[in-house]
């Protein structure tokens, strides 16, 4: 259910590499050629292009893209050029926990395992270790007042947080079908849904229950307001373009908003991925 349109017949990797090399030559870069080639190739085709480029020119295509392009367009193209597991590993490295939730809950078990393997090879530690480290750094870097003062309001609010810790254990140990059944029972029993929990648990819930609704909302939030959140826009469109972008578009028709909130080659590339 992706939106990437691959031409038929597909040019050979050698041909694509020659066109890319030509696009980099001269005084200016031919951004249109870069968009047309990379924006119309699927995951396996992009990998072959990168491998062939290295063999033909003894240079990294990612390095050349980094030196020839700039701004949000460069960020988007390079993110797209990565293999999906490497891309998600790099996103997770510097991500907030909500992005890790997206990767963990809106991906297949096979993809998540691949991300964990790539993460370990890239950063010499496991994804789990880094997440735990971030949590522990927060614990040891905060100042705790040691007087015997009690705030009953805080006590009341944090009771619910303790309850949520139990919820996290459930969410992390049950398969998607079991969780959906649990969500439905929760609605029937208490008359409301899990979206009354903290924002992180909301992300977990929607990534499992309806990824297309979740990512449609991420896109909406990234372009509504005074400025555009290019990182969230890039992440969502690039990581979902080959997975379920058709469903996301059905959930929230956003092409006109992308047109009005982006510009230049960056806009052309995002619209290419959106089909």
């Amino acid at each position: 259910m992706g939106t990437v349109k691959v031409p038929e017949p597909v040019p050979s990797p050698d041909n694509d590499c020659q066109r890319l090399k030509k696009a980099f030559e001269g005084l200016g870069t031919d951004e249109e050629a870069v968009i047309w080639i990379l924006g119309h190739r699927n995951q396996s085709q992009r990998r072959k292009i990168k491998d062939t480029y290295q063999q033909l020119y003894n240079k990294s295509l990612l390095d050349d893209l980094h030196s020839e392009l700039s701004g949000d367009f460069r960020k988007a193209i390079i993110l797209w050029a990565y293999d999906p597991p490497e891309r998600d590993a790099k996103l997770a490295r510097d991500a907030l926990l909500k992005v890790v939730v997206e990767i963990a809950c809106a991906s297949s078990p096979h993809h998540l395992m691949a991300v964990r393997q790539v993460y370990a090879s890239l950063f010499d530690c496991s994804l789990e270790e880094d997440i735990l480290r971030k949590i522990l750094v927060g614990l040891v870097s905060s100042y705790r007042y040691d007087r015997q003062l009690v705030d009953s309001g805080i006590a009341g609010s944090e009771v619910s947080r303790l309850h949520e810790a139990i919820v996290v254990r459930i969410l992390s140990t049950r398969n998607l079908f079991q969780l959906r059944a649990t969500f439905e029972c929760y609605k029937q029993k208490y008359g409301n849904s899990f979206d009354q929990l903290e924002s992180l648990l909301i992300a977990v819930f929607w990534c499992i229950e309806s990824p297309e609704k979740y990512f449609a909302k991420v896109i909406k939030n990234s372009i509504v307001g005074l400025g555009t959140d290019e990182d969230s826009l890039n992440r969502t469109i690039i990581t979902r373009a080959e997975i379920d972008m058709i469903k996301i578009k059905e959930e929230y028709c956003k092409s006109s908003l992308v047109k009005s909130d982006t510009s230049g080659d960056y806009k052309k590339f995002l619209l290419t991925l959106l089909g």
Side-chain angles (χ1 to χ4, degrees):
M1 299 295 286
T3 49
V4 178
K5 296 182 178 179
V6 177
E8 186 63 41
V10 182
S12 68
D14 287 61
N15 183 270
D16 281 341
C17 288
Q18 291 168 13
R19 292 174 64 193
L20 285 169
K21 194 72 168 65
K22 184 177 180 181
F24 299 150
E25 294 173 347
L27 296 177
T29 302
D30 184 356
E31 289 87 355
E32 293 277 358
V34 174
I35 293 171
W36 177 253
I37 297 169
L38 296 181
H40 292 92
R41 301 294 184 270
N42 63 32
Q43 169 192 342
S44 62
Q45 292 161 352
R46 298 194 303 275
R47 186 186 303 116
K48 289 179 182 177
I49 290 172
K50 288 187 295 181
D51 292 343
T52 303
Y53 195 92
Q54 182 71 44
Q55 293 168 4
L56 289 176
Y57 308 114
N58 197 29
K59 297 180 71 178
S60 164
L61 175 59
L62 292 176
D63 288 346
D64 277 358
L65 288 170
H66 189 274
S67 64
E68 294 291 334
L69 307 177
S70 62
D72 293 318
F73 177 50
R74 176 171 66 187
K75 291 180 183 177
I77 282 283
I78 290 178
L79 200 60
W80 177 245
Y82 283 126
D83 285 346
E86 183 177 5
R87 174 203 303 147
D88 280 355
K90 290 179 179 294
L91 286 172
R93 176 69 169 181
D94 299 317
L96 298 173
L97 286 178
K98 189 171 289 188
V99 178
V100 178
V101 165
E102 294 176 6
I103 297 170
C105 297
S107 302
S108 69
H110 176 76
H111 177 73
L112 179 57
M113 184 63 69
V115 171
R116 291 168 61 187
Q117 291 171 346
V118 172
Y119 194 99
S121 66
L122 287 175
F123 306 117
D124 295 323
C125 66
S126 71
L127 176 58
E128 299 92 327
E129 288 173 325
D130 260 4
I131 293 172
L132 180 59
R133 185 179 297 114
K134 290 180 181 180
I135 294 172
L136 292 178
V137 166
L139 291 176
V140 300
S141 61
S142 60
Y143 177 77
R144 297 172 186 270
Y145 191 66
D146 62 358
R147 298 286 181 87
Q148 291 186 2
L149 296 178
V150 174
D151 187 321
S152 59
I154 291 176
S157 66
E158 292 188 342
V159 165
S160 63
R161 293 179 183 271
L162 289 173
H163 168 70
E164 290 166 18
I166 298 172
V167 174
V168 169
R169 180 182 64 80
I170 295 171
L171 292 175
S172 62
T173 58
R174 300 290 186 263
N175 66 50
L176 299 186
F177 303 101
Q178 179 63 53
L179 286 172
R180 286 169 182 159
T182 301
F183 293 155
E184 186 59 35
C185 288
Y186 186 95
K187 294 177 187 177
Q188 293 174 2
K189 186 170 183 178
Y190 298 108
N192 51 37
S193 66
F194 269 34
D195 60 8
Q196 294 179 342
L197 299 175
E198 292 293 317
S199 59
L200 185 63
L201 295 181
I202 294 174
V204 171
F205 173 78
W206 283 112
C207 281
I208 293 172
E209 181 76 4
S210 179
E212 58 271 19
K213 288 184 179 180
Y214 171 81
F215 287 109
K217 186 173 182 179
V218 172
I219 291 175
K220 179 180 179 181
N221 290 342
S222 71
I223 56 184
V224 171
L226 296 178
T228 301
D229 180 357
E230 287 85 0
D231 288 342
S232 295
L233 191 62
N234 281 350
R235 184 181 78 250
T236 305
I237 293 178
I238 289 170
T239 61
R240 309 308 293 187
E242 295 180 278
I243 300 174
D244 55 2
M245 186 53 71
I246 289 177
K247 289 185 177 180
I248 293 172
K249 288 174 69 175
E250 291 172 354
E251 194 63 40
Y252 179 42
C253 185
K254 79 237 143 291
S255 293
S256 60
L257 289 172
V258 170
K259 288 179 182 177
S260 63
D261 279 73
T262 58
S263 60
D265 296 312
Y266 177 50
K267 177 178 72 174
K268 293 176 184 176
F269 177 61
L270 292 185
L271 293 178
T272 297
L273 298 189
L274 292 171

